[in-house]
Every structure is written in C-alpha cells, then in structure tokens.
Amino acid sequence: MKRCMSFAKGMAAGIVAGMALAVTVKCVCMKSRRCKRYTNRAARTVSGLMEDIQELLR
C-alpha cells in the first residue's frame, strides 16, 4: 500500500508540474494562435489523465 501511495504522490506531483508549465506557456504565448491550440490540447489531455487516475485509485 505504501508503494502505491508513493506512486500516486509522484504522479500527482508530475501532473501539477505539467499544469504549471502549461499555464506559464499559455501566458507567454497569448498572441500565437498555434501555441494556444497546443496548450489547450495539452491541458485537456492532462485533465483526462487525472480523471483516469482518480478512477483507478477508487
């Protein structure tokens, strides 16, 4: 159980870091339409991944 929680914490830390990076890139690239599109796509993918992980841990 301890290894599972350690893995979950690591995944959560990675997801948070990815989202922080996405927000930073989005703020920097506000004028670039292509950059906005890729950032939004990445944010949706990470959100879907978080939902899948929540379902696995239930």
Side-chain angles (χ1 to χ4, degrees):
M1 182 71 173
K2 187 176 181 179
R3 286 174 37 188
C4 181
M5 290 306 292
S6 177
F7 175 75
K9 286 180 184 177
M11 287 290 289
I15 290 170
V16 169
M19 287 301 290
L21 180 64
V23 169
T24 303
V25 169
K26 189 171 185 175
C27 290
V28 170
C29 299
M30 287 301 284
K31 295 187 180 187
S32 172
R33 184 175 181 166
R34 179 177 163 194
C35 187
K36 280 187 200 178
R37 186 172 7 138
Y38 288 136
T39 304
N40 287 334
R41 186 181 302 164
R44 283 194 306 266
T45 301
V46 169
S47 176
L49 181 63
M50 288 175 54
E51 290 174 6
D52 291 342
I53 290 172
Q54 288 176 351
E55 288 296 320
L56 287 173
L57 294 177
R58 287 186 188 178

mmCIF file of all heavy atoms in Angstrom:
data_model
loop_
_atom_site.group_PDB
_atom_site.id
_atom_site.type_symbol
_atom_site.label_atom_id
_atom_site.label_comp_id
_atom_site.label_asym_id
_atom_site.label_seq_id
_atom_site.Cartn_x
_atom_site.Cartn_y
_atom_site.Cartn_z
ATOM 1 N N MET A 1 0.820 -1.195 0.000
ATOM 2 C CA MET A 1 0.000 0.000 0.000
ATOM 3 C C MET A 1 0.869 1.266 0.000
ATOM 4 O O MET A 1 0.547 2.237 -0.637
ATOM 5 C CB MET A 1 -0.914 -0.047 1.224
ATOM 6 C CG MET A 1 -1.856 1.111 1.327
ATOM 7 S SD MET A 1 -3.110 0.973 0.064
ATOM 8 C CE MET A 1 -4.170 2.267 0.516
ATOM 9 N N LYS A 2 1.977 1.217 0.750
ATOM 10 C CA LYS A 2 2.852 2.379 0.831
ATOM 11 C C LYS A 2 3.457 2.705 -0.534
ATOM 12 O O LYS A 2 3.576 3.872 -0.908
ATOM 13 C CB LYS A 2 3.947 2.124 1.854
ATOM 14 C CG LYS A 2 4.807 3.324 2.134
ATOM 15 C CD LYS A 2 5.810 3.043 3.233
ATOM 16 C CE LYS A 2 6.633 4.267 3.508
ATOM 17 N NZ LYS A 2 7.592 4.042 4.580
ATOM 18 N N ARG A 3 3.824 1.670 -1.302
ATOM 19 C CA ARG A 3 4.394 1.898 -2.631
ATOM 20 C C ARG A 3 3.368 2.511 -3.570
ATOM 21 O O ARG A 3 3.698 3.368 -4.397
ATOM 22 C CB ARG A 3 4.923 0.594 -3.205
ATOM 23 C CG ARG A 3 6.207 0.164 -2.540
ATOM 24 C CD ARG A 3 6.712 -1.172 -2.954
ATOM 25 N NE ARG A 3 6.517 -1.505 -4.345
ATOM 26 C CZ ARG A 3 6.761 -2.687 -4.864
ATOM 27 N NH1 ARG A 3 7.228 -3.654 -4.088
ATOM 28 N NH2 ARG A 3 6.573 -2.924 -6.122
ATOM 29 N N CYS A 4 2.123 2.080 -3.427
ATOM 30 C CA CYS A 4 1.052 2.613 -4.275
ATOM 31 C C CYS A 4 0.835 4.099 -3.987
ATOM 32 O O CYS A 4 0.678 4.891 -4.904
ATOM 33 C CB CYS A 4 -0.231 1.825 -4.050
ATOM 34 S SG CYS A 4 -1.593 2.385 -5.079
ATOM 35 N N MET A 5 0.832 4.458 -2.723
ATOM 36 C CA MET A 5 0.639 5.861 -2.363
ATOM 37 C C MET A 5 1.825 6.707 -2.811
ATOM 38 O O MET A 5 1.653 7.839 -3.246
ATOM 39 C CB MET A 5 0.420 6.002 -0.851
ATOM 40 C CG MET A 5 -0.917 5.460 -0.395
ATOM 41 S SD MET A 5 -2.316 6.173 -1.297
ATOM 42 C CE MET A 5 -2.257 7.846 -0.721
ATOM 43 N N SER A 6 3.020 6.151 -2.719
ATOM 44 C CA SER A 6 4.207 6.861 -3.171
ATOM 45 C C SER A 6 4.122 7.104 -4.677
ATOM 46 O O SER A 6 4.438 8.199 -5.161
ATOM 47 C CB SER A 6 5.455 6.065 -2.824
ATOM 48 O OG SER A 6 6.606 6.714 -3.307
ATOM 49 N N PHE A 7 3.675 6.105 -5.408
ATOM 50 C CA PHE A 7 3.498 6.239 -6.852
ATOM 51 C C PHE A 7 2.450 7.302 -7.161
ATOM 52 O O PHE A 7 2.652 8.149 -8.044
ATOM 53 C CB PHE A 7 3.082 4.897 -7.452
ATOM 54 C CG PHE A 7 2.754 4.964 -8.909
ATOM 55 C CD1 PHE A 7 3.757 5.070 -9.852
ATOM 56 C CD2 PHE A 7 1.440 4.929 -9.338
ATOM 57 C CE1 PHE A 7 3.458 5.136 -11.202
ATOM 58 C CE2 PHE A 7 1.129 5.003 -10.683
ATOM 59 C CZ PHE A 7 2.144 5.103 -11.613
ATOM 60 N N ALA A 8 1.339 7.271 -6.426
ATOM 61 C CA ALA A 8 0.267 8.245 -6.651
ATOM 62 C C ALA A 8 0.751 9.664 -6.365
ATOM 63 O O ALA A 8 0.421 10.603 -7.099
ATOM 64 C CB ALA A 8 -0.936 7.906 -5.787
ATOM 65 N N LYS A 9 1.530 9.820 -5.305
ATOM 66 C CA LYS A 9 2.063 11.149 -4.987
ATOM 67 C C LYS A 9 3.010 11.629 -6.083
ATOM 68 O O LYS A 9 3.006 12.803 -6.445
ATOM 69 C CB LYS A 9 2.788 11.118 -3.651
ATOM 70 C CG LYS A 9 1.863 11.029 -2.463
ATOM 71 C CD LYS A 9 2.657 10.996 -1.175
ATOM 72 C CE LYS A 9 1.764 10.809 0.032
ATOM 73 N NZ LYS A 9 2.553 10.719 1.275
ATOM 74 N N GLY A 10 3.812 10.733 -6.607
ATOM 75 C CA GLY A 10 4.721 11.092 -7.696
ATOM 76 C C GLY A 10 3.970 11.497 -8.953
ATOM 77 O O GLY A 10 4.332 12.464 -9.618
ATOM 78 N N MET A 11 2.919 10.748 -9.257
ATOM 79 C CA MET A 11 2.093 11.089 -10.416
ATOM 80 C C MET A 11 1.429 12.451 -10.217
ATOM 81 O O MET A 11 1.390 13.263 -11.148
ATOM 82 C CB MET A 11 1.014 10.022 -10.634
ATOM 83 C CG MET A 11 1.536 8.731 -11.183
ATOM 84 S SD MET A 11 2.083 8.887 -12.882
ATOM 85 C CE MET A 11 0.523 9.082 -13.701
ATOM 86 N N ALA A 12 0.913 12.692 -9.028
ATOM 87 C CA ALA A 12 0.263 13.975 -8.748
ATOM 88 C C ALA A 12 1.254 15.124 -8.882
ATOM 89 O O ALA A 12 0.926 16.175 -9.456
ATOM 90 C CB ALA A 12 -0.355 13.956 -7.357
ATOM 91 N N ALA A 13 2.466 14.929 -8.377
ATOM 92 C CA ALA A 13 3.484 15.975 -8.480
ATOM 93 C C ALA A 13 3.831 16.255 -9.947
ATOM 94 O O ALA A 13 3.978 17.410 -10.351
ATOM 95 C CB ALA A 13 4.735 15.571 -7.712
ATOM 96 N N GLY A 14 3.919 15.208 -10.744
ATOM 97 C CA GLY A 14 4.201 15.382 -12.168
ATOM 98 C C GLY A 14 3.083 16.105 -12.895
ATOM 99 O O GLY A 14 3.326 16.966 -13.751
ATOM 100 N N ILE A 15 1.854 15.772 -12.544
ATOM 101 C CA ILE A 15 0.707 16.417 -13.179
ATOM 102 C C ILE A 15 0.651 17.891 -12.803
ATOM 103 O O ILE A 15 0.408 18.752 -13.656
ATOM 104 C CB ILE A 15 -0.590 15.684 -12.795
ATOM 105 C CG1 ILE A 15 -0.612 14.312 -13.473
ATOM 106 C CG2 ILE A 15 -1.819 16.494 -13.162
ATOM 107 C CD1 ILE A 15 -1.717 13.402 -12.993
ATOM 108 N N VAL A 16 0.888 18.188 -11.531
ATOM 109 C CA VAL A 16 0.886 19.587 -11.089
ATOM 110 C C VAL A 16 1.982 20.372 -11.801
ATOM 111 O O VAL A 16 1.755 21.495 -12.261
ATOM 112 C CB VAL A 16 1.038 19.673 -9.554
ATOM 113 C CG1 VAL A 16 1.316 21.095 -9.103
ATOM 114 C CG2 VAL A 16 -0.203 19.129 -8.876
ATOM 115 N N ALA A 17 3.156 19.788 -11.928
ATOM 116 C CA ALA A 17 4.256 20.458 -12.620
ATOM 117 C C ALA A 17 3.904 20.696 -14.088
ATOM 118 O O ALA A 17 4.183 21.766 -14.645
ATOM 119 C CB ALA A 17 5.531 19.639 -12.509
ATOM 120 N N GLY A 18 3.279 19.713 -14.714
ATOM 121 C CA GLY A 18 2.868 19.863 -16.110
ATOM 122 C C GLY A 18 1.831 20.951 -16.303
ATOM 123 O O GLY A 18 1.893 21.733 -17.254
ATOM 124 N N MET A 19 0.879 21.006 -15.391
ATOM 125 C CA MET A 19 -0.148 22.049 -15.483
ATOM 126 C C MET A 19 0.458 23.435 -15.257
ATOM 127 O O MET A 19 0.081 24.396 -15.921
ATOM 128 C CB MET A 19 -1.261 21.789 -14.470
ATOM 129 C CG MET A 19 -2.163 20.638 -14.849
ATOM 130 S SD MET A 19 -2.984 20.851 -16.441
ATOM 131 C CE MET A 19 -4.127 22.154 -16.043
ATOM 132 N N ALA A 20 1.395 23.542 -14.316
ATOM 133 C CA ALA A 20 2.054 24.831 -14.078
ATOM 134 C C ALA A 20 2.812 25.281 -15.320
ATOM 135 O O ALA A 20 2.769 26.456 -15.698
ATOM 136 C CB ALA A 20 2.991 24.719 -12.883
ATOM 137 N N LEU A 21 3.475 24.334 -15.970
ATOM 138 C CA LEU A 21 4.190 24.654 -17.202
ATOM 139 C C LEU A 21 3.211 25.082 -18.299
ATOM 140 O O LEU A 21 3.469 26.043 -19.025
ATOM 141 C CB LEU A 21 5.012 23.459 -17.663
ATOM 142 C CG LEU A 21 5.819 23.649 -18.940
ATOM 143 C CD1 LEU A 21 6.872 24.730 -18.732
ATOM 144 C CD2 LEU A 21 6.461 22.355 -19.355
ATOM 145 N N ALA A 22 2.100 24.395 -18.396
ATOM 146 C CA ALA A 22 1.105 24.737 -19.417
ATOM 147 C C ALA A 22 0.555 26.141 -19.196
ATOM 148 O O ALA A 22 0.377 26.906 -20.150
ATOM 149 C CB ALA A 22 -0.022 23.715 -19.412
ATOM 150 N N VAL A 23 0.283 26.488 -17.954
ATOM 151 C CA VAL A 23 -0.230 27.830 -17.657
ATOM 152 C C VAL A 23 0.814 28.882 -17.991
ATOM 153 O O VAL A 23 0.493 29.928 -18.572
ATOM 154 C CB VAL A 23 -0.655 27.925 -16.172
ATOM 155 C CG1 VAL A 23 -0.933 29.357 -15.776
ATOM 156 C CG2 VAL A 23 -1.879 27.061 -15.926
ATOM 157 N N THR A 24 2.056 28.607 -17.657
ATOM 158 C CA THR A 24 3.133 29.554 -17.962
ATOM 159 C C THR A 24 3.271 29.761 -19.466
ATOM 160 O O THR A 24 3.356 30.897 -19.939
ATOM 161 C CB THR A 24 4.469 29.045 -17.386
ATOM 162 O OG1 THR A 24 4.318 28.845 -15.986
ATOM 163 C CG2 THR A 24 5.579 30.024 -17.650
ATOM 164 N N VAL A 25 3.269 28.674 -20.214
ATOM 165 C CA VAL A 25 3.389 28.765 -21.669
ATOM 166 C C VAL A 25 2.191 29.502 -22.250
ATOM 167 O O VAL A 25 2.332 30.319 -23.154
ATOM 168 C CB VAL A 25 3.542 27.358 -22.287
ATOM 169 C CG1 VAL A 25 3.398 27.406 -23.795
ATOM 170 C CG2 VAL A 25 4.875 26.760 -21.907
ATOM 171 N N LYS A 26 1.025 29.235 -21.702
ATOM 172 C CA LYS A 26 -0.186 29.892 -22.210
ATOM 173 C C LYS A 26 -0.099 31.398 -22.003
ATOM 174 O O LYS A 26 -0.483 32.173 -22.874
ATOM 175 C CB LYS A 26 -1.416 29.327 -21.516
ATOM 176 C CG LYS A 26 -2.700 29.792 -22.121
ATOM 177 C CD LYS A 26 -3.878 29.040 -21.548
ATOM 178 C CE LYS A 26 -5.148 29.438 -22.250
ATOM 179 N NZ LYS A 26 -6.287 28.656 -21.812
ATOM 180 N N CYS A 27 0.402 31.828 -20.853
ATOM 181 C CA CYS A 27 0.540 33.265 -20.595
ATOM 182 C C CYS A 27 1.563 33.905 -21.525
ATOM 183 O O CYS A 27 1.383 35.034 -21.958
ATOM 184 C CB CYS A 27 0.937 33.494 -19.145
ATOM 185 S SG CYS A 27 -0.368 33.107 -17.978
ATOM 186 N N VAL A 28 2.632 33.186 -21.831
ATOM 187 C CA VAL A 28 3.681 33.723 -22.693
ATOM 188 C C VAL A 28 3.208 33.785 -24.143
ATOM 189 O O VAL A 28 3.533 34.717 -24.878
ATOM 190 C CB VAL A 28 4.965 32.870 -22.567
ATOM 191 C CG1 VAL A 28 5.985 33.253 -23.615
ATOM 192 C CG2 VAL A 28 5.550 33.019 -21.177
ATOM 193 N N CYS A 29 2.429 32.799 -24.564
ATOM 194 C CA CYS A 29 2.043 32.662 -25.973
ATOM 195 C C CYS A 29 0.620 33.146 -26.256
ATOM 196 O O CYS A 29 -0.040 32.595 -27.124
ATOM 197 C CB CYS A 29 2.159 31.209 -26.395
ATOM 198 S SG CYS A 29 3.796 30.531 -26.257
ATOM 199 N N MET A 30 0.133 34.130 -25.560
ATOM 200 C CA MET A 30 -1.261 34.545 -25.723
ATOM 201 C C MET A 30 -1.578 35.015 -27.145
ATOM 202 O O MET A 30 -2.695 34.881 -27.598
ATOM 203 C CB MET A 30 -1.601 35.667 -24.736
ATOM 204 C CG MET A 30 -1.737 35.182 -23.312
ATOM 205 S SD MET A 30 -2.996 33.925 -23.097
ATOM 206 C CE MET A 30 -4.465 34.926 -23.176
ATOM 207 N N LYS A 31 -0.618 35.530 -27.850
ATOM 208 C CA LYS A 31 -0.901 36.064 -29.180
ATOM 209 C C LYS A 31 -0.742 35.043 -30.289
ATOM 210 O O LYS A 31 -1.240 35.254 -31.384
ATOM 211 C CB LYS A 31 -0.024 37.276 -29.443
ATOM 212 C CG LYS A 31 -0.363 38.412 -28.509
ATOM 213 C CD LYS A 31 0.365 39.659 -28.840
ATOM 214 C CE LYS A 31 -0.062 40.710 -27.833
ATOM 215 N NZ LYS A 31 0.423 42.008 -28.110
ATOM 216 N N SER A 32 -0.083 33.947 -30.005
ATOM 217 C CA SER A 32 0.138 32.941 -31.030
ATOM 218 C C SER A 32 -1.024 31.947 -31.037
ATOM 219 O O SER A 32 -1.243 31.216 -30.074
ATOM 220 C CB SER A 32 1.452 32.198 -30.770
ATOM 221 O OG SER A 32 1.571 31.109 -31.640
ATOM 222 N N ARG A 33 -1.762 31.896 -32.124
ATOM 223 C CA ARG A 33 -2.926 31.009 -32.220
ATOM 224 C C ARG A 33 -2.508 29.534 -32.149
ATOM 225 O O ARG A 33 -3.154 28.723 -31.500
ATOM 226 C CB ARG A 33 -3.661 31.285 -33.520
ATOM 227 C CG ARG A 33 -4.914 30.498 -33.662
ATOM 228 C CD ARG A 33 -5.642 30.903 -34.909
ATOM 229 N NE ARG A 33 -6.872 30.151 -35.008
ATOM 230 C CZ ARG A 33 -7.843 30.439 -35.813
ATOM 231 N NH1 ARG A 33 -7.737 31.474 -36.615
ATOM 232 N NH2 ARG A 33 -8.918 29.711 -35.846
ATOM 233 N N ARG A 34 -1.419 29.191 -32.810
ATOM 234 C CA ARG A 34 -0.943 27.809 -32.821
ATOM 235 C C ARG A 34 -0.531 27.374 -31.412
ATOM 236 O O ARG A 34 -0.837 26.274 -30.968
ATOM 237 C CB ARG A 34 0.230 27.696 -33.779
ATOM 238 C CG ARG A 34 0.820 26.330 -33.869
ATOM 239 C CD ARG A 34 1.922 26.307 -34.892
ATOM 240 N NE ARG A 34 2.739 25.129 -34.700
ATOM 241 C CZ ARG A 34 3.902 24.947 -35.246
ATOM 242 N NH1 ARG A 34 4.398 25.867 -36.046
ATOM 243 N NH2 ARG A 34 4.575 23.857 -35.033
ATOM 244 N N CYS A 35 0.167 28.250 -30.707
ATOM 245 C CA CYS A 35 0.606 27.950 -29.349
ATOM 246 C C CYS A 35 -0.598 27.770 -28.429
ATOM 247 O O CYS A 35 -0.616 26.875 -27.590
ATOM 248 C CB CYS A 35 1.515 29.057 -28.842
ATOM 249 S SG CYS A 35 2.283 28.694 -27.267
ATOM 250 N N LYS A 36 -1.620 28.609 -28.576
ATOM 251 C CA LYS A 36 -2.841 28.479 -27.770
ATOM 252 C C LYS A 36 -3.489 27.127 -27.994
ATOM 253 O O LYS A 36 -3.927 26.465 -27.054
ATOM 254 C CB LYS A 36 -3.844 29.565 -28.149
ATOM 255 C CG LYS A 36 -3.605 30.897 -27.569
ATOM 256 C CD LYS A 36 -4.790 31.769 -27.935
ATOM 257 C CE LYS A 36 -4.484 33.220 -27.842
ATOM 258 N NZ LYS A 36 -5.609 34.054 -28.230
ATOM 259 N N ARG A 37 -3.555 26.727 -29.257
ATOM 260 C CA ARG A 37 -4.210 25.464 -29.605
ATOM 261 C C ARG A 37 -3.486 24.286 -28.947
ATOM 262 O O ARG A 37 -4.115 23.418 -28.348
ATOM 263 C CB ARG A 37 -4.237 25.298 -31.120
ATOM 264 C CG ARG A 37 -5.005 24.113 -31.578
ATOM 265 C CD ARG A 37 -5.171 24.074 -33.087
ATOM 266 N NE ARG A 37 -4.431 25.102 -33.791
ATOM 267 C CZ ARG A 37 -3.750 24.919 -34.908
ATOM 268 N NH1 ARG A 37 -3.693 23.732 -35.456
ATOM 269 N NH2 ARG A 37 -3.119 25.896 -35.504
ATOM 270 N N TYR A 38 -2.162 24.269 -29.051
ATOM 271 C CA TYR A 38 -1.395 23.166 -28.464
ATOM 272 C C TYR A 38 -1.480 23.164 -26.937
ATOM 273 O O TYR A 38 -1.553 22.120 -26.310
ATOM 274 C CB TYR A 38 0.059 23.208 -28.910
ATOM 275 C CG TYR A 38 0.251 22.811 -30.357
ATOM 276 C CD1 TYR A 38 1.077 23.532 -31.188
ATOM 277 C CD2 TYR A 38 -0.412 21.709 -30.879
ATOM 278 C CE1 TYR A 38 1.248 23.166 -32.520
ATOM 279 C CE2 TYR A 38 -0.250 21.337 -32.198
ATOM 280 C CZ TYR A 38 0.584 22.074 -33.013
ATOM 281 O OH TYR A 38 0.747 21.704 -34.318
ATOM 282 N N THR A 39 -1.467 24.343 -26.346
ATOM 283 C CA THR A 39 -1.563 24.430 -24.888
ATOM 284 C C THR A 39 -2.920 23.950 -24.408
ATOM 285 O O THR A 39 -3.017 23.198 -23.432
ATOM 286 C CB THR A 39 -1.322 25.877 -24.426
ATOM 287 O OG1 THR A 39 -0.062 26.320 -24.912
ATOM 288 C CG2 THR A 39 -1.339 25.974 -22.921
ATOM 289 N N ASN A 40 -3.975 24.346 -25.075
ATOM 290 C CA ASN A 40 -5.318 23.898 -24.685
ATOM 291 C C ASN A 40 -5.457 22.396 -24.863
ATOM 292 O O ASN A 40 -6.064 21.723 -24.025
ATOM 293 C CB ASN A 40 -6.383 24.632 -25.493
ATOM 294 C CG ASN A 40 -6.543 26.062 -25.061
ATOM 295 O OD1 ASN A 40 -6.262 26.401 -23.916
ATOM 296 N ND2 ASN A 40 -6.981 26.909 -25.972
ATOM 297 N N ARG A 41 -4.904 21.857 -25.914
ATOM 298 C CA ARG A 41 -4.962 20.412 -26.149
ATOM 299 C C ARG A 41 -4.219 19.663 -25.044
ATOM 300 O O ARG A 41 -4.696 18.655 -24.535
ATOM 301 C CB ARG A 41 -4.365 20.072 -27.510
ATOM 302 C CG ARG A 41 -4.530 18.612 -27.870
ATOM 303 C CD ARG A 41 -3.922 18.294 -29.210
ATOM 304 N NE ARG A 41 -4.502 19.103 -30.270
ATOM 305 C CZ ARG A 41 -3.976 19.257 -31.471
ATOM 306 N NH1 ARG A 41 -2.834 18.656 -31.769
ATOM 307 N NH2 ARG A 41 -4.545 19.993 -32.368
ATOM 308 N N ALA A 42 -3.055 20.179 -24.661
ATOM 309 C CA ALA A 42 -2.283 19.545 -23.587
ATOM 310 C C ALA A 42 -3.034 19.616 -22.258
ATOM 311 O O ALA A 42 -3.058 18.643 -21.500
ATOM 312 C CB ALA A 42 -0.926 20.216 -23.457
ATOM 313 N N ALA A 43 -3.674 20.737 -21.980
ATOM 314 C CA ALA A 43 -4.426 20.879 -20.737
ATOM 315 C C ALA A 43 -5.591 19.896 -20.695
ATOM 316 O O ALA A 43 -5.863 19.290 -19.654
ATOM 317 C CB ALA A 43 -4.924 22.311 -20.582
ATOM 318 N N ARG A 44 -6.279 19.713 -21.810
ATOM 319 C CA ARG A 44 -7.396 18.748 -21.856
ATOM 320 C C ARG A 44 -6.890 17.325 -21.672
ATOM 321 O O ARG A 44 -7.526 16.513 -20.991
ATOM 322 C CB ARG A 44 -8.142 18.871 -23.182
ATOM 323 C CG ARG A 44 -9.066 20.069 -23.248
ATOM 324 C CD ARG A 44 -10.014 19.964 -24.429
ATOM 325 N NE ARG A 44 -9.325 19.764 -25.695
ATOM 326 C CZ ARG A 44 -8.968 20.721 -26.536
ATOM 327 N NH1 ARG A 44 -9.242 21.973 -26.245
ATOM 328 N NH2 ARG A 44 -8.362 20.432 -27.667
ATOM 329 N N THR A 45 -5.740 17.013 -22.256
ATOM 330 C CA THR A 45 -5.168 15.678 -22.119
ATOM 331 C C THR A 45 -4.791 15.393 -20.670
ATOM 332 O O THR A 45 -5.089 14.319 -20.141
ATOM 333 C CB THR A 45 -3.933 15.536 -23.020
ATOM 334 O OG1 THR A 45 -4.317 15.780 -24.371
ATOM 335 C CG2 THR A 45 -3.328 14.151 -22.905
ATOM 336 N N VAL A 46 -4.157 16.352 -20.016
ATOM 337 C CA VAL A 46 -3.768 16.174 -18.620
ATOM 338 C C VAL A 46 -5.007 16.042 -17.746
ATOM 339 O O VAL A 46 -5.048 15.217 -16.828
ATOM 340 C CB VAL A 46 -2.870 17.336 -18.155
ATOM 341 C CG1 VAL A 46 -2.669 17.310 -16.651
ATOM 342 C CG2 VAL A 46 -1.537 17.287 -18.864
ATOM 343 N N SER A 47 -6.021 16.820 -18.027
ATOM 344 C CA SER A 47 -7.265 16.726 -17.260
ATOM 345 C C SER A 47 -7.885 15.340 -17.405
ATOM 346 O O SER A 47 -8.323 14.743 -16.421
ATOM 347 C CB SER A 47 -8.243 17.795 -17.743
ATOM 348 O OG SER A 47 -9.471 17.662 -17.082
ATOM 349 N N GLY A 48 -7.912 14.818 -18.607
ATOM 350 C CA GLY A 48 -8.438 13.470 -18.830
ATOM 351 C C GLY A 48 -7.601 12.417 -18.131
ATOM 352 O O GLY A 48 -8.136 11.459 -17.549
ATOM 353 N N LEU A 49 -6.289 12.603 -18.129
ATOM 354 C CA LEU A 49 -5.400 11.674 -17.441
ATOM 355 C C LEU A 49 -5.650 11.687 -15.943
ATOM 356 O O LEU A 49 -5.683 10.634 -15.302
ATOM 357 C CB LEU A 49 -3.945 12.035 -17.741
ATOM 358 C CG LEU A 49 -2.878 11.146 -17.119
ATOM 359 C CD1 LEU A 49 -2.997 9.727 -17.655
ATOM 360 C CD2 LEU A 49 -1.510 11.708 -17.402
ATOM 361 N N MET A 50 -5.859 12.865 -15.380
ATOM 362 C CA MET A 50 -6.145 12.971 -13.945
ATOM 363 C C MET A 50 -7.436 12.246 -13.595
ATOM 364 O O MET A 50 -7.522 11.562 -12.573
ATOM 365 C CB MET A 50 -6.221 14.435 -13.524
ATOM 366 C CG MET A 50 -4.886 15.121 -13.494
ATOM 367 S SD MET A 50 -4.942 16.878 -13.133
ATOM 368 C CE MET A 50 -5.843 16.940 -11.622
ATOM 369 N N GLU A 51 -8.453 12.376 -14.438
ATOM 370 C CA GLU A 51 -9.717 11.683 -14.195
ATOM 371 C C GLU A 51 -9.527 10.169 -14.247
ATOM 372 O O GLU A 51 -10.087 9.438 -13.423
ATOM 373 C CB GLU A 51 -10.764 12.127 -15.209
ATOM 374 C CG GLU A 51 -11.233 13.545 -15.004
ATOM 375 C CD GLU A 51 -12.168 14.017 -16.105
ATOM 376 O OE1 GLU A 51 -12.548 13.197 -16.967
ATOM 377 O OE2 GLU A 51 -12.513 15.202 -16.095
ATOM 378 N N ASP A 52 -8.736 9.694 -15.195
ATOM 379 C CA ASP A 52 -8.474 8.257 -15.298
ATOM 380 C C ASP A 52 -7.742 7.734 -14.068
ATOM 381 O O ASP A 52 -8.057 6.654 -13.562
ATOM 382 C CB ASP A 52 -7.657 7.947 -16.554
ATOM 383 C CG ASP A 52 -8.443 8.162 -17.832
ATOM 384 O OD1 ASP A 52 -9.692 8.220 -17.757
ATOM 385 O OD2 ASP A 52 -7.811 8.270 -18.898
ATOM 386 N N ILE A 53 -6.776 8.495 -13.575
ATOM 387 C CA ILE A 53 -6.039 8.071 -12.388
ATOM 388 C C ILE A 53 -6.954 8.039 -11.174
ATOM 389 O O ILE A 53 -6.881 7.122 -10.354
ATOM 390 C CB ILE A 53 -4.825 9.008 -12.154
ATOM 391 C CG1 ILE A 53 -3.780 8.759 -13.245
ATOM 392 C CG2 ILE A 53 -4.213 8.764 -10.780
ATOM 393 C CD1 ILE A 53 -2.650 9.741 -13.229
ATOM 394 N N GLN A 54 -7.843 9.013 -11.063
ATOM 395 C CA GLN A 54 -8.798 9.011 -9.950
ATOM 396 C C GLN A 54 -9.673 7.773 -9.996
ATOM 397 O O GLN A 54 -9.959 7.170 -8.965
ATOM 398 C CB GLN A 54 -9.659 10.265 -9.984
ATOM 399 C CG GLN A 54 -8.926 11.512 -9.587
ATOM 400 C CD GLN A 54 -9.792 12.749 -9.731
ATOM 401 O OE1 GLN A 54 -10.895 12.702 -10.276
ATOM 402 N NE2 GLN A 54 -9.302 13.877 -9.246
ATOM 403 N N GLU A 55 -10.104 7.379 -11.179
ATOM 404 C CA GLU A 55 -10.930 6.181 -11.308
ATOM 405 C C GLU A 55 -10.149 4.923 -10.924
ATOM 406 O O GLU A 55 -10.706 4.021 -10.322
ATOM 407 C CB GLU A 55 -11.451 6.053 -12.743
ATOM 408 C CG GLU A 55 -12.512 7.067 -13.102
ATOM 409 C CD GLU A 55 -13.779 6.888 -12.277
ATOM 410 O OE1 GLU A 55 -14.193 5.746 -12.041
ATOM 411 O OE2 GLU A 55 -14.334 7.916 -11.876
ATOM 412 N N LEU A 56 -8.864 4.883 -11.269
ATOM 413 C CA LEU A 56 -8.045 3.717 -10.934
ATOM 414 C C LEU A 56 -7.831 3.586 -9.428
ATOM 415 O O LEU A 56 -7.754 2.471 -8.900
ATOM 416 C CB LEU A 56 -6.688 3.794 -11.631
ATOM 417 C CG LEU A 56 -6.679 3.534 -13.110
ATOM 418 C CD1 LEU A 56 -5.305 3.812 -13.693
ATOM 419 C CD2 LEU A 56 -7.068 2.088 -13.392
ATOM 420 N N LEU A 57 -7.727 4.699 -8.741
ATOM 421 C CA LEU A 57 -7.450 4.671 -7.304
ATOM 422 C C LEU A 57 -8.696 4.444 -6.453
ATOM 423 O O LEU A 57 -8.588 4.238 -5.262
ATOM 424 C CB LEU A 57 -6.749 5.971 -6.868
ATOM 425 C CG LEU A 57 -5.360 6.153 -7.456
ATOM 426 C CD1 LEU A 57 -4.783 7.497 -7.018
ATOM 427 C CD2 LEU A 57 -4.429 5.031 -7.038
ATOM 428 N N ARG A 58 -9.849 4.453 -7.047
ATOM 429 C CA ARG A 58 -11.088 4.215 -6.281
ATOM 430 C C ARG A 58 -11.281 2.777 -6.013
ATOM 431 O O ARG A 58 -10.893 1.863 -6.480
ATOM 432 C CB ARG A 58 -12.295 4.750 -7.008
ATOM 433 C CG ARG A 58 -12.338 6.252 -6.965
ATOM 434 C CD ARG A 58 -13.581 6.759 -7.546
ATOM 435 N NE ARG A 58 -13.477 8.206 -7.647
ATOM 436 C CZ ARG A 58 -14.403 8.944 -8.156
ATOM 437 N NH1 ARG A 58 -15.496 8.418 -8.614
ATOM 438 N NH2 ARG A 58 -14.265 10.225 -8.212
#
